[in-house]
Amino acid sequence: MAIYKRKHGEVPPYWKLGPFELRLPFIHFRLEAPEIIQGFVLFSIGLSIIPLLQNNVGFSYEAALAAAILYLVTMLMGPVFGVPLVPGFITAAIPLIVIFLGNFEPGPGAVQALIALQISIAVIFLLLGITGLGKLIVTKLPHSLKGGILVGAGIAAIHGEIIDGGRLASTPISLIIGTAICFYIMFSQSFQRLYQSSKAAKVIGNYGIMPAIIAAIAIGWLAKEYPAPKVEWGIVIPDLAELWKFTPFTVGFPGIDVFLMALPTALIAYIIAYGDIVVGESLFKKASEARDDENVHLDLSRLHILAFVRNMIHALFAPHPGLAGPIFTAGTASVLERYKYGRTAMDSVYSGSASLLLAMLLANLLLPLVSLFQPVLPIALSLTLIITGYLCISVGMEQLRSPMERGVGGVMAIVLFAYGATYAIVAGIVLYLLIQRTGTKETPVQEKTEIEKTG
């Protein structure tokens, strides 16, 4: 129950706090049991970033765990400060961030690089959000460059898992079967038909990637690809003293040269994030149409400002390679889907989002759960990256609608995968100007002629 009550059709109660609307559990909204249960299942996705922090940045396990826990605290800032979407990683940018971090040895240099990247994207969110230029940049960006960015990110995500020395080589059984289960649940037409007719399939489908992660973990244990967990009891207390060793106040602030190296990756990450915003906006609009009892508005300026604040907090106190993105798509979709069922099912969109995140945070503080998943965190990260890669390639290919766009986008994707964001942006712009912007308007006839010439 909540102290403040909302009348039918009203804006949910809040306290005004500058550009934000402050809402607190039990005061402005109730907690929702279904989202709490789901949060205890989804929490391990947040922990999956720990191996990346250890291997690519040089964090200790204790510092990485503390960063993962603090990330959930900043995620809560979304529903608490008036953004109805569930925030999360900029997942599709993670492979590009890994490529960027590959320019630095794990340790102080990589930590500074991650700090520079996080500060850069924070500033981009602030400037483009306040001015409204973010929408203009993304809508005016040529389809060939959008597609090239997404396809390149997708290739990088999958390639990192299947190369020699990748997790496919060390854990083939669990990774192959887990990927197959995940692809079937999320993308198969036969499962979509089953979802419509079977309650069990609907329950499984609503949890997105988690059933595949759980299956892959179980198979990994049975096949002895991962060690059996040593379950410990107690409460996790984030080791903030250890985490402090990996902040700019200890390793030093990055130089201007590192910021210049980070800027192209930050720009691409923002473009990907804005695509996530468009998806979230569409999901929210459809859900809001089903609820006339609550007057909720998605303020994109507030969303951008909050992304700026979260990224700056992490840059200074808990660097995080997932970056502080505007939307956790799977979590948001799950909350909004149940939100459509009416007020008796979910009182407010804020109560659903906050309940999910509070449960994920609490699960991360329970040592039995954290120690249970600790040995198998790499498989959760692998499946997350492979699914992200699949989606990036699929959506990216949809952007490339003509032969010219496919050519420019394809070359840009290869450069992005092989050499990173800086060279990819240069290559993409040069090819676009050279091939597509030749002073004459493209027409289907001209595109057909190009095909005939190469045939």
Side-chain angles (χ1 to χ4, degrees):
M1 300 295 291
I3 295 175
Y4 291 100
K5 307 296 182 183
R6 182 185 81 250
K7 293 182 180 179
H8 189 91
E10 287 186 342
V11 174
Y14 66 92
W15 293 331
K16 186 67 175 175
L17 186 65
F20 305 114
E21 297 175 350
L22 179 63
R23 295 180 176 88
L24 300 175
F26 304 115
I27 297 177
H28 299 100
F29 57 81
R30 74 187 190 194
L31 297 184
E32 308 286 349
E35 276 63 44
I36 290 174
I37 294 170
Q38 189 169 356
F40 276 92
V41 176
L42 291 175
F43 86 98
S44 65
I45 293 178
L47 293 178
S48 68
I49 208 72
I50 290 177
L52 201 159
L53 275 167
Q54 290 178 285
N55 300 330
N56 297 84
V57 190
F59 274 43
S60 64
Y61 173 78
E62 292 75 17
L65 177 59
I69 292 173
L70 290 181
Y71 190 86
L72 279 165
V73 174
T74 66
M75 284 176 69
L76 264 170
M77 293 172 68
V80 167
F81 287 110
V83 175
L85 307 179
V86 181
F89 301 166
I90 307 179
T91 309
I94 291 177
L96 307 182
I97 295 166
V98 171
I99 293 174
F100 168 68
L101 292 174
N103 296 307
F104 306 87
E105 286 291 327
V111 175
Q112 288 185 341
L114 181 55
I115 292 167
L117 177 63
Q118 199 129 38
I119 291 175
S120 297
I121 197 161
V123 173
I124 290 172
F125 268 112
L126 181 64
L127 294 179
L128 298 188
I130 291 176
T131 62
L133 288 175
K135 182 176 182 179
L136 180 64
I137 290 174
V138 174
T139 53
K140 295 296 183 181
L141 190 71
H143 288 286
S144 53
L145 271 63
K146 291 181 188 175
I149 289 169
L150 290 172
V151 173
I155 293 172
I158 296 174
H159 179 264
E161 300 303 313
I162 65 176
I163 58 172
D164 289 341
R167 272 181 281 270
L168 180 62
S170 57
T171 58
I173 299 174
S174 56
L175 188 55
I176 290 173
I177 297 177
T179 300
I181 294 172
C182 202
F183 277 15
Y184 178 72
I185 292 173
M186 297 187 71
F187 308 121
S188 166
Q189 291 184 354
S190 66
F191 185 83
Q192 290 176 10
R193 290 192 294 268
L194 196 61
Y195 182 90
Q196 300 299 326
S197 60
S198 168
K199 290 184 178 179
K202 186 166 290 187
V203 170
I204 293 171
N206 286 342
Y207 284 104
I209 193 176
M210 278 310 300
I213 291 177
I214 293 172
I217 288 171
I219 293 166
W221 282 332
L222 290 172
K224 297 184 178 179
E225 290 182 338
Y226 289 97
K230 296 179 181 179
V231 178
E232 303 175 35
W233 299 94
I235 302 296
V236 175
I237 299 176
D239 194 339
L240 300 181
E242 179 67 15
L243 179 59
W244 185 258
K245 298 176 184 177
F246 300 91
T247 66
F249 305 104
T250 300
V251 301
F253 281 84
I256 188 66
D257 57 327
V258 182
F259 277 103
L260 291 174
M261 290 180 66
L263 186 58
T265 303
L267 284 170
I268 287 181
Y270 176 80
I271 292 169
I272 293 172
Y274 199 93
D276 292 340
I277 293 172
V278 172
V279 172
E281 193 174 22
S282 175
L283 291 172
F284 177 74
K285 182 180 179 181
K286 291 177 182 177
S288 297
E289 291 171 353
R291 293 283 299 264
D292 62 355
D293 63 283
E294 183 173 38
N295 183 5
V296 184
H297 174 61
L298 176 58
D299 188 323
L300 294 186
S301 293
R302 183 184 299 151
L303 184 149
H304 275 76
I305 294 171
L306 198 57
F308 159 74
V309 172
R310 291 177 58 227
N311 275 293
M312 285 302 297
I313 290 173
H314 282 287
L316 297 176
F317 304 108
H320 195 286
L323 304 180
I327 176 174
F328 169 26
T329 306
T332 297
S334 176
V335 169
L336 292 180
E337 188 62 33
R338 212 174 67 80
Y339 177 69
K340 295 176 184 178
Y341 294 147
R343 191 168 185 176
T344 55
M346 183 185 296
D347 181 55
S348 168
V349 66
Y350 295 108
S351 65
S353 300
S355 298
L356 177 70
L357 293 171
L358 281 168
M360 292 173 67
L361 176 59
L362 179 59
N364 271 273
L365 297 175
L366 297 178
L367 188 56
L369 288 175
V370 173
S371 59
L372 176 67
F373 282 95
Q374 180 180 351
V376 290
L377 291 178
I379 193 70
L381 179 60
S382 291
L383 289 178
T384 301
L385 289 174
I386 289 173
I387 296 305
T388 299
Y390 177 95
L391 289 170
C392 284
I393 293 172
S394 176
V395 175
M397 293 297 289
E398 289 178 357
Q399 297 284 331
L400 306 174
R401 300 169 299 181
S402 73
M404 289 182 182
E405 289 179 346
R406 287 191 286 272
V408 172
V411 173
M412 183 181 179
I414 294 171
V415 174
L416 182 62
F417 159 67
Y419 296 104
T422 303
Y423 291 102
I425 289 175
V426 173
I429 292 174
V430 169
L431 288 174
Y432 171 75
L433 295 174
L434 186 64
I435 296 174
Q436 293 182 259
R437 299 286 293 183
T438 56
T440 58
K441 187 177 180 180
E442 292 179 28
T443 65
V445 174
Q446 288 175 319
E447 292 172 4
K448 183 178 178 181
T449 304
E450 293 299 322
I451 297 174
E452 291 172 347
K453 286 179 183 178
T454 56

